[in-house]
Amino acid sequence: MRGFVQGVDRHQTTLLPECLDDWVGENNPVRAVDVFVDALELRDLGFDGVDPAATGRPAYHPSPMLKLYIYGYLNRVQSSRRLEREAGRNLEVMWLTGRLAPDHKTIADFRKDNGPAIKKVCAQFVELCRKIGLLASTSVAIDGSKFKAVNSRDNNFTQGKIQRRQKQIEESVARYMSQLDTADRQTAAGEAPSEVVLLTKTRLREKLVKLEEEVKRLAAIEETLLASPDKQISLTDPDCRSMATSGRGSGMVAYNVQSAVETTNHLIVAHDVTNIGSDRTQLATMAQAAKAALRSDTLNVVADRGYFKGEEILACEQAGVAVTLPKPQTSGAKSAGRFGKPDFVYLAKDDVYRCPAGEKLAHHFTADEGGQKMRIYLTKACRTCPFKDQCTTSNERRIRRWEHEHVVEAAQTRLDRNPQAMRVRRETVEHPFATLKMRMGATHFLMKRLPNVATEMALNVLSYNLTRVLNILGVEPLLAAMRA
């Protein structure tokens, strides 16, 4: 008769191998964490506590603390309290830290006090990937995603939210006052009110008192809100903001995380955390950060239409970055069923536009619109044109052309020549975001304030890149590359 696999006796003298190193195999990812951190110049990176203090209680060296955090984020253990427990029961952590067991406050303070240095560690790993040949491509995809902050929607206020809440309070006050009148009518003249009526009236008066306190609280919040630059405040985490998401009518109180992902091995070469909900002003910053990380003279960037802004595309062009992205369809004439600007062909040789009727719109004057120099093109032939009703409601159709419009047209031309670019963008940059959110859990960030959130994001990006490299190379080849 076939039996079961038998375990060892718990009461034997040596349950585990005699040497702790025997418990950690040569292909264990924890060895990559150990070699990577040992190769870092922690003093040059700006870590506190590299040199021990002359007096006082002995402190923990930054090296085992950093190893503990990288291990934690690599294995989805981001909480300082959970890391404290792992340090006392996890053999891999014991091997990694030399059986050090710092308390959760010490662990949390290390992450809070060494934010800039931890971000540099993330950049150091990207540099390592470049040196071992994993970032040979000069093409990246850029995108942004909203990550939840430690702030509920009820603790985030805008003028619209306050006005809606004040209206709800007014309706509630009117309803409770009506219920009080109804309770008074339940008692005949000269009779003492019943116990039920007294309890009802007491309960309603308590609700009215609470609503009065809420009105005062909202008034104080509104006063603070009107003094803020963007007319929005969050009570739990003052730096986070309410941001719209892709779902219709949805949104969350979050941070906007930007990332530039290399298109060959899908490594995150640059990232940033902002509290600006829109992506329109982020393109040039992220493109230049990616170009610096890849140490390349030129760079090809693909992004979605949420990044479309003429000034950003121009800044990329001037920095040696070729951008590919679609132009959003925002033409009011097109939505009204008339000819849009794309129906007018620009003839660069003659500096004129050819309209759908074959007429030429010449340059007449230049205007300053929103800080941009716009060249205005028009023709007198519109008044007698048979297509006038399909073109304009005015006497003549005017076409505006930005002085750097050729840069925007070049971005569209690159997309027309490579229509698969948007599919490559989606397959490259959206998967890392999904992986990061899955690892971070439903609540996403654990820390408050933008600098601390940026530190936490750097640890998440580092763990993602490390996992990706381990999957591409394996543990032993990565160890050999790091030691070399």
Side-chain angles (χ1 to χ4, degrees), residues 107-174:
I107 297 172
D109 286 345
F110 173 81
R111 180 173 53 185
K112 177 173 64 71
D113 297 336
N114 293 280
I118 290 174
K119 290 184 217 175
K120 291 178 182 177
V121 171
C122 181
Q124 286 283 307
F125 189 78
V126 173
E127 177 66 12
L128 171 66
C129 295
R130 187 189 66 81
K131 289 181 177 178
I132 61 180
L134 294 177
L135 297 177
S137 172
T138 57
S139 177
V140 300
I142 293 177
D143 199 7
S145 185
K146 311 302 189 299
F147 284 67
K148 292 179 185 176
V150 188
N151 198 106
S152 70
R153 297 174 72 172
D154 291 338
N155 283 329
N156 172 267
F157 294 90
T158 62
Q159 285 184 291
K161 284 184 180 179
I162 289 180
Q163 290 172 358
R164 288 193 295 271
R165 180 60 182 150
Q166 288 172 337
K167 184 178 179 181
Q168 290 172 354
I169 290 175
E170 290 173 1
E171 294 172 351
S172 297
V173 169

Side-chain angles (χ1 to χ4, degrees), residues 153 164 242-252:
R153 297 174 72 172
R164 288 193 295 271
S242 179
M243 300 178 182
T245 56
S246 57
R248 179 174 295 179
S250 65
M252 66 173 70

Side-chain angles (χ1 to χ4, degrees), residues 272-313:
D272 193 17
V273 182
T274 74
N275 55 7
I276 301 172
S278 171
D279 294 333
R280 291 192 68 205
T281 59
Q282 306 296 327
L283 180 62
T285 301
M286 290 306 303
Q288 292 175 26
K291 185 170 177 284
L294 293 174
R295 303 283 184 90
S296 174
D297 295 332
T298 60
L299 182 68
N300 296 313
V301 168
V302 59
D304 61 22
R305 58 172 47 91
Y307 286 88
F308 187 90
K309 187 177 181 182
E311 294 91 334
E312 293 290 311
I313 299 173

Side-chain angles (χ1 to χ4, degrees), residues 429-475:
V429 77
E430 292 187 2
H431 179 264
F433 276 135
T435 302
L436 287 168
K437 288 183 177 181
M438 181 270 293
R439 285 186 163 194
M440 296 170 74
T443 55
H444 296 171
F445 290 118
L446 302 177
M447 303 180 75
K448 305 171 187 176
R449 307 308 297 256
L450 183 56
N452 296 331
V453 167
T455 302
E456 197 175 349
M457 197 68 224
L459 285 166
N460 279 295
V461 170
L462 174 59
S463 68
Y464 168 84
N465 281 341
L466 180 55
T467 303
R468 184 75 186 142
V469 173
L470 288 171
N471 290 337
I472 295 171
L473 297 181
V475 177

